[in-house]
Amino acid sequence: MRAMEVKTKDLNDKNELDKYTITIPTFVDVHVHLREPGFFYKETIKTGTNAAAKSGYSHLFAMPNLNPVPDSLENLNIQLEIIKRDALINVIPYGSITMGEKGRTLANFQEMTPFVAGFSDDGVGVENEEMMEKAMAMAKSLDKIIVAHCEDMSLRDGGYIHAGNYATEHGHKGICSESEWKPIERDLKLAAKTGCSYHVCHVSAKESVAIIREAKKAGIDVTCETAPHYLTLNDGMLKDEGRFKMNPPIRGEKDREALIEGILDGTIDMIATDHAPHSLEEKSKGLRDSAMGITGLETAFPILYTKLVKAGILTLDKLIELMSTNPRKRFGLTCSNTDKEYAVWDIGTEYSIDSETFESMGKSTPFDGWRVYGKCLKTVVNNKTVWSI
């Protein structure tokens, strides 16, 4: 899918591009936390999907770290009913990999399969190798994808930001990159063994990019995502504020550069936000004590367009591929019918990101105050206007 011509003649000419309003396909975010049921004080399906509609999205894939955890059809139905009642756009949930996301017993894959995008224990890693292999074998038999939060908690050792220069200089406990890439390395061997479709969440480390690149060359059925904050921030830009804390953490400049390289060579397939809203109280305790996670839907395209497209690192069409085309292909969605599903953007007006104007209940973002281009004027989903200025 390419950007639709409205006034501009050459969408790859950034000087021309800056002058015009454009119409582009709606985005698909395969990694969001809508917090409902169970944590409605952080976000609800209604507020989260309104934030997404405001930001040019038509589909959100909702993570299962909820209460109750969607580990059975009974629990999943609670979430599905809220989606049916309150969602402004399409929301597709994940079922959990294990019961209660506790890693001990396999969730009820068969009964949830018709209603979920795949299976994930996002928020925690599946530590037990035998359990992950069972999950992959079951997913393979049901033609479903495993979407993995890759984290070895034994290697985290109480860390809460990247184990880099900032942590050392300011006396913070660091999270080593090995805690991410080691589980990826393990899981890729299991994916090769079982033939399971496998997707890696929120890749942040240079080693992870290299491992996934080699796995793709070996023919393993793997895709992966990264997020806007990993592409535009490094740990030298951290402040001792909760809005800079997420999991995995913002890493070093060499990691950021490796992620850009991974996008350019096709190793990284898509950009997801890992939209993870929390209450003001939970995010106001500095780097050490704040909850992990930031809000991301309302900053994603403006940040990426400004810092990657306008900077000449990516074309607009490549960004659309990462945010719309590739997620649709990997997760079995039909390509956007741009007569019935599109977003209209003003990419010529500069403004400052102001979290107080967010539709999301989550206001914590490292991008507060950044000057950006890209304001969504209208979003149409299923031939219905779901957002308009």
Side-chain angles (χ1 to χ4, degrees):
M1 292 176 288
R2 297 176 64 85
M4 295 168 61
E5 185 173 341
V6 178
K7 297 177 181 178
T8 179
K9 295 180 179 180
D10 183 2
L11 290 171
N12 288 314
D13 183 335
K14 67 184 182 68
N15 293 323
E16 284 293 312
L17 191 61
D18 289 345
K19 300 177 183 178
Y20 299 99
T21 297
I22 61 167
T23 300
I24 61 176
T26 51
F27 304 138
V28 175
D29 193 337
V30 303
H31 191 147
V32 297
H33 299 266
L34 294 178
R35 304 302 194 197
E36 198 176 20
F39 305 99
F40 58 87
Y41 69 93
K42 300 174 188 277
E43 186 81 285
T44 66
I45 287 170
K46 185 174 184 178
T47 60
T49 56
N50 197 40
K54 176 188 174 183
S55 308
Y57 288 88
S58 59
H59 293 77
L60 303 180
F61 288 38
M63 287 299 176
N65 49 344
L66 303 168
N67 185 20
V69 172
D71 53 17
S72 65
L73 185 56
E74 179 182 6
N75 287 348
L76 178 64
N77 275 333
I78 297 170
Q79 184 183 8
L80 291 172
E81 283 300 314
I82 303 172
I83 291 169
K84 182 179 179 181
R85 184 189 72 210
D86 291 341
L88 278 74
I89 63 171
N90 301 294
V91 176
I92 307 170
Y94 291 107
S96 66
I97 293 174
T98 62
M99 298 299 292
E101 290 197 321
K102 296 184 183 300
R104 295 194 289 268
T105 308
L106 210 61
N108 294 312
F109 279 34
Q110 295 97 324
E111 63 183 27
M112 291 190 288
T113 285
F115 309 101
V116 297
F119 297 96
S120 178
D121 269 7
D122 189 61
V124 292
V126 178
E127 298 276 344
N128 185 278
E129 182 173 343
E130 182 181 359
M131 180 57 62
M132 182 56 99
E133 184 174 346
K134 287 181 179 179
M136 286 187 176
M138 179 63 72
K140 171 67 174 176
S141 72
L142 297 168
D143 195 25
K144 284 292 179 179
I145 191 169
I146 292 290
V147 176
H149 173 112
C150 293
E151 182 178 22
D152 186 334
M153 292 299 292
S154 70
L155 294 173
R156 192 159 112 181
D157 192 30
Y160 47 89
I161 64 171
H162 176 56
N165 292 336
Y166 184 91
T168 301
E169 293 168 3
H170 294 83
H172 293 290
K173 293 206 72 173
I175 302 174
C176 66
S177 297
E178 188 178 7
S179 66
E180 174 180 300
W181 64 257
K182 270 287 188 183
I184 294 174
E185 190 175 59
R186 180 203 71 178
D187 284 358
L188 287 168
K189 293 176 182 177
L190 296 177
K193 181 179 179 181
T194 61
C196 173
S197 296
Y198 178 70
H199 179 80
V200 187
C201 294
H202 44 50
V203 170
S204 69
K206 61 183 184 298
E207 296 90 348
S208 302
V209 178
I211 290 166
I212 294 166
R213 181 180 289 118
E214 291 306 308
K216 288 190 169 189
K217 290 178 181 177
I220 296 173
D221 184 5
V222 57
T223 52
C224 67
E225 69 194 46
T226 192
H229 40 281
Y230 303 124
L231 293 167
T232 56
L233 296 167
N234 61 49
D235 69 338
M237 303 165 75
L238 294 179
K239 297 179 181 180
D240 195 0
E241 301 173 15
R243 65 193 182 100
F244 289 90
K245 185 178 181 182
M246 69 289 294
N247 189 26
I250 295 166
R251 301 200 185 272
E253 177 61 13
K254 289 184 179 179
D255 297 285
R256 192 192 70 83
E257 291 171 353
L259 294 171
I260 295 291
E261 183 181 352
I263 279 179
L264 293 174
D265 71 13
T267 300
I268 296 174
D269 304 271
M270 60 196 78
I271 299 174
T273 65
D274 194 6
H275 176 82
H278 293 286
S279 70
L280 177 62
E281 180 182 359
E282 290 170 320
K283 293 298 290 182
S284 62
K285 301 175 182 178
L287 287 172
R288 187 183 70 180
D289 296 321
S290 291
M292 287 178 162
I294 59 171
T295 186
L297 288 166
E298 289 164 87
T299 58
F301 181 79
I303 287 292
L304 294 168
Y305 174 72
T306 303
K307 297 301 180 180
L308 299 185
V309 176
K310 281 182 67 65
I313 297 169
L314 299 181
T315 65
L316 176 60
D317 286 331
K318 179 63 176 180
L319 185 57
I320 292 170
E321 180 184 307
L322 292 161
M323 296 183 72
S324 180
T325 311
N326 288 353
R328 282 182 162 87
K329 287 180 179 178
R330 180 56 161 166
F331 286 86
L333 301 177
T334 56
C335 283
S336 174
N337 181 338
T338 48
D339 292 330
K340 298 182 178 180
E341 190 172 286
Y342 59 88
V344 180
W345 288 84
D346 170 9
I347 55 170
T349 304
E350 187 180 23
Y351 66 98
S352 293
I353 291 175
D354 179 2
S355 62
E356 292 304 312
T357 67
F358 286 177
E359 295 295 325
S360 171
M361 292 168 63
K363 309 301 182 186
S364 186
T365 170
F367 302 122
D368 233 343
W370 282 38
R371 299 288 291 174
V372 294
Y373 295 81
K375 189 178 286 285
C376 188
L377 305 178
K378 182 178 182 179
T379 305
V380 175
V381 179
N382 298 326
N383 215 24
K384 178 182 178 183
T385 299
V386 293
W387 174 263
S388 181
I389 290 181

